[in-house]
Amino acid sequence: MPDTVTANSALEMQGGEAIARIIRAFHGGPMFGMGGFQLLPLYEAVRRFDMPHHLMNDERSAVFLADAYAKVSGRVGLADATLGPGATNLVTGLAEALNAGTPMVCVVGDTHRDHAWKNMTQECRQTELLRPVCKELIRIEAIQRIPELMRRAFMVATTGRPGPVVVDVPEDLMHATHTFQAEEFEVDAIHEAAPALRCRPDGRAVEQAAALLAGARRPFILAGGGVHISGAAETLTGFAHATNIPVAHTLTGKGAIPCTDPLSAGLFGRYDRIANGLIDEADVILVVGCKLGEIATKRYTVPGPGKTIIHLDIVAEEFGRTRRADVLLWGDARLGLEDLQAALLAKAPDTKSRLASYAGEVPVRMAKWREDVAPRLHSTERPINVARLLTAINTVLPEDGILVADGGFAAHWGGLLFDTKRAGRSFVPDRGFASIGYGLPGAMGAALAAPGRPVLSLTGDSGFCMVLGDLETARRLELDFTVIVVNNAASGYVKALQHLVYGAGNYHSSDLTEVNFAEVAKAFGVTGIRVEDPEGIEDALRQAMAIKGPVVLDVIVTRDPAKMLPGVDNRAAVIKKGDRIA
């Protein structure tokens, strides 16, 4: 059977081949998944077309890997699963991608329609389970519509706020044959990556926002992950430099302006360096691509009352969800910032000079913060203080390096202390859903998306244990990255919270068995390095990054639950019983 459909030709093919042809037409990147009978025609077509597809050991890892690949590359992440348990294993990763705005297409096999609801093996109401965790679920009911509906999947995944689209394909349509016409496999190339389409905010709203910023004494910018989805990091950095307006970021917004930039106030919200204080002093706040969720707002207390807020976002549904704004800028972050900068400087060309003294406060405060927390950033205590580990990562990871961070514990430490050195997404946390288990597959996805760039991943021992099986996958794919296991022999976040809420010694179901993960790595045939001395962290990181192939760096960190949360300045934490924190 020929590999291509030439112009004005027709070709009979199975439904699975039609799906593969559309993916190939979009120049789809690597696919990740686990097959089954329902998907055999898709896998066979992918094999014949020599399309990149990688077998995973768990479908959750497959969709996490596709998520990280898409976040780093901007292109559509691709995953697949067979029916029943294959489909249901996608749920957590799909929820991450939906909340994070990750462009993704997942092809899922389903029951033969002639035998549905007759106790077919592995059958369940999977479309009902998957529908709430994807941007759109497309059920294919006619083989001749496969090209049309697959094109729609890529269109939906890459427009507006991007997101995951599930294409549910019954077994009989995947295996059946149909004669397709060549033009049915022609696609619009703009939907290969996100954002595929851009729109500008209303001009009158832009003028209103510019007038507020022109009259502000202490304007401030809050940048979220939408800045990266839009590819607007360099634009935002340029906006900040042209106006001298400082910028703080969320966990997913890190890199919206380089952390090393004098105008960067670092992370804001639950954990911060100096940002929350500056927000409290601000009079006008520009929110860009940020949902103002629980973590970013310190459970809806930051910013405080009485602030004038301008909100720029592509998703109108986010306006007013957690905080009412005075001016709404509905549109693409990059174009919105371009228009706002032009309007502001036309109205107040002296903005940069007028705010110079105010902007100069930021590096002074940041330097004072670093001085205050230096004993922990450079701690020599054993077991190792996590702050010392992050300090070493900042020292060793070059400007083009990427740090992936697992949910919860690792993401908060990385979000607070990791310093990006250039604009753009160099920090990849799974904060859309904040599940754990992302560290290893996330590193794999980042390595595939950015070959040649150094990739480190920060994960806890709990999260690493969830996905250990895909060390085999990493070895098989010969991927270059280092996964750093923050080994505290505990479910660290939970134990730290038990310590805060119930007091010392009141811990339950939060301790793990001591495991030497360097030896575990060696059992999988990959390099394992164990670090117990803080003075050896930098050398170990350099050694790991010089090795070809995956490396597991097992770092033995503090067992003291009072030191597990990333409050390096030892601020007091007040948590009421019943509060949830993640």
Side-chain angles (χ1 to χ4, degrees):
M1 187 177 292
D3 275 355
T4 59
V5 179
T6 58
N8 302 315
S9 68
L11 185 66
E12 185 179 60
M13 68 184 76
Q14 289 183 296
E17 180 176 334
I19 292 170
R21 286 183 182 276
I22 290 292
I23 293 172
R24 186 174 67 165
F26 279 110
H27 300 103
M31 301 172 65
F32 313 100
M34 294 183 72
F37 178 72
Q38 289 72 23
L39 298 182
L40 287 183
L42 172 62
Y43 276 48
E44 172 61 11
V46 165
R47 181 194 66 80
R48 287 192 295 104
F49 297 159
D50 197 25
M51 296 166 61
H53 185 286
H54 304 306
L55 170 65
M56 305 297 297
N57 285 306
D58 188 286
E59 292 91 351
R60 186 174 69 152
S61 289
V63 74
F64 277 159
L65 210 156
D67 177 84
Y69 175 88
K71 283 173 177 167
V72 172
S73 69
R75 301 184 62 80
V76 176
L78 299 168
D80 61 75
T82 192
L83 87 166
T88 59
N89 279 348
L90 299 176
V91 169
T92 300
L94 286 172
E96 166 64 32
L98 178 64
N99 293 343
T102 304
M104 187 183 298
V105 173
C106 294
V107 178
V108 181
D110 208 340
T111 312
H112 192 298
R113 291 176 299 169
D114 286 347
H115 307 305
W117 308 124
K118 295 169 67 175
N119 294 324
M120 288 287 289
T121 301
Q122 299 185 318
E123 183 179 24
C124 70
R125 295 186 182 274
Q126 64 187 46
T127 56
E128 296 172 36
L129 287 165
L130 297 176
R131 197 179 306 275
V133 291
C134 58
K135 186 178 179 183
E136 184 166 319
L137 188 143
I138 299 173
R139 163 84 171 183
I140 296 181
E141 293 284 2
I143 189 171
Q144 66 271 18
R145 297 191 66 191
I146 285 177
E148 168 208 345
L149 294 176
M150 284 297 295
R151 287 196 301 270
R152 175 167 178 79
F154 277 82
M155 185 275 291
V156 172
T158 56
T159 53
R161 178 162 70 193
V165 177
V166 171
V167 181
D168 187 84
V169 189
E171 172 192 309
D172 49 309
L173 296 186
M174 187 74 80
H175 285 258
T177 58
H178 178 73
T179 300
F180 294 93
Q181 300 302 311
E183 59 267 22
E184 295 182 75
F185 298 96
E186 295 174 359
V187 302
D188 192 333
I190 65 170
H191 296 300
E192 293 180 9
L197 301 173
R198 298 181 186 269
C199 59
R200 296 185 181 278
D202 178 76
R204 287 173 297 179
V206 170
E207 289 296 327
Q208 288 177 328
L212 289 173
L213 291 171
R217 293 178 300 100
R218 299 180 70 86
F220 201 74
I221 298 172
L222 304 181
V227 172
H228 294 308
I229 295 171
S230 173
E234 291 186 1
T235 304
L236 178 58
T237 302
F239 180 95
H241 288 171
T243 61
N244 261 334
I245 301 178
V247 181
H249 60 77
T250 64
L251 289 164
T252 55
K254 181 179 283 289
I257 182 173
C259 294
T260 53
D261 193 289
L263 287 169
S264 173
L267 185 68
F268 72 95
R270 175 171 296 158
Y271 300 108
D272 80 305
R273 302 181 184 184
I274 62 171
N276 288 357
L278 286 164
I279 293 169
D280 189 54
E281 297 166 8
D283 52 354
V284 177
I285 296 174
L286 171 61
V287 179
V288 183
C290 175
K291 294 181 285 188
L292 293 175
E294 177 201 352
I295 304 297
T297 61
K298 201 174 182 181
R299 190 154 286 196
Y300 317 111
T301 61
V302 175
K307 304 298 180 186
T308 298
I309 295 178
I310 303 162
H311 195 168
L312 168 59
D313 205 288
I314 192 64
V315 184
E317 291 82 356
E318 296 301 342
F319 293 142
R321 186 194 294 269
T322 67
R323 184 63 183 267
R324 189 172 182 178
D326 298 88
V327 178
L328 305 179
L329 302 178
W330 184 19
D332 175 71
R334 193 180 78 188
L335 297 184
L337 286 168
E338 290 175 356
D339 289 356
L340 185 55
Q341 179 175 330
L344 173 58
L345 295 184
K347 190 178 297 291
D350 65 337
T351 298
K352 182 173 183 176
S353 58
R354 180 176 66 85
L355 297 176
S357 177
Y358 162 56
E361 295 176 21
V362 177
V364 173
R365 292 193 191 192
M366 189 67 78
K368 179 64 166 60
W369 176 84
R370 290 187 184 280
E371 180 183 346
D372 290 344
V373 302
R376 282 161 289 283
L377 296 178
H378 305 286
S379 170
T380 58
E381 65 186 87
R382 298 179 63 168
I384 296 166
N385 190 305
V386 182
R388 174 64 183 270
L389 170 61
L390 266 297
T391 300
I393 290 172
N394 282 332
T395 300
V396 172
L397 193 63
E399 180 180 296
D400 65 340
I402 297 171
L403 179 65
V404 177
D406 216 321
F409 183 98
H412 288 302
W413 274 106
L416 179 64
L417 297 181
F418 175 58
D419 286 328
T420 59
K421 302 175 178 70
R422 68 182 188 185
R425 199 190 306 253
S426 298
F427 181 62
V428 186
D430 67 323
R431 292 304 304 181
F433 204 43
S435 65
I436 60 174
Y438 189 90
L440 174 60
M444 296 164 66
L448 281 164
R453 291 179 64 182
V455 175
L456 300 180
S457 179
L458 204 62
T459 186
D461 34 7
S462 287
F464 191 56
C465 283
M466 289 182 175
V467 292
L468 268 174
D470 278 304
L471 268 181
E472 181 276 328
T473 312
R475 178 189 175 190
R476 177 170 17 103
L477 300 186
E478 300 179 334
L479 297 176
D480 292 330
F481 66 87
T482 297
V483 58
I484 303 164
V485 182
V486 182
N487 187 340
N488 56 16
S491 179
Y493 219 110
V494 174
K495 190 170 184 177
L497 294 177
Q498 289 175 340
H499 181 86
L500 280 173
V501 176
Y502 302 109
N506 294 296
Y507 315 123
H508 183 70
S509 294
S510 56
D511 287 311
L512 299 173
T513 300
E514 290 277 355
V515 176
N516 187 322
F517 290 101
E519 293 300 319
V520 171
K522 293 172 186 175
F524 275 90
V526 305
T527 302
I529 303 170
R530 190 171 174 90
V531 183
E532 300 182 58
D533 184 352
E535 301 297 336
I537 299 174
E538 289 184 18
D539 286 344
L541 284 168
R542 291 190 177 94
Q543 178 188 350
M545 292 167 61
I547 293 172
K548 290 294 183 182
V551 178
V552 174
L553 195 64
D554 186 23
V555 181
I556 310 307
V557 300
T558 181
R559 266 62 174 160
D560 182 353
K563 297 180 180 180
M564 288 180 179
L565 292 179
V568 292
D569 53 5
N570 286 350
R571 71 194 64 189
V574 179
I575 301 176
K576 296 180 292 185
K577 291 185 179 181
D579 278 359
R580 292 190 306 109
I581 188 168

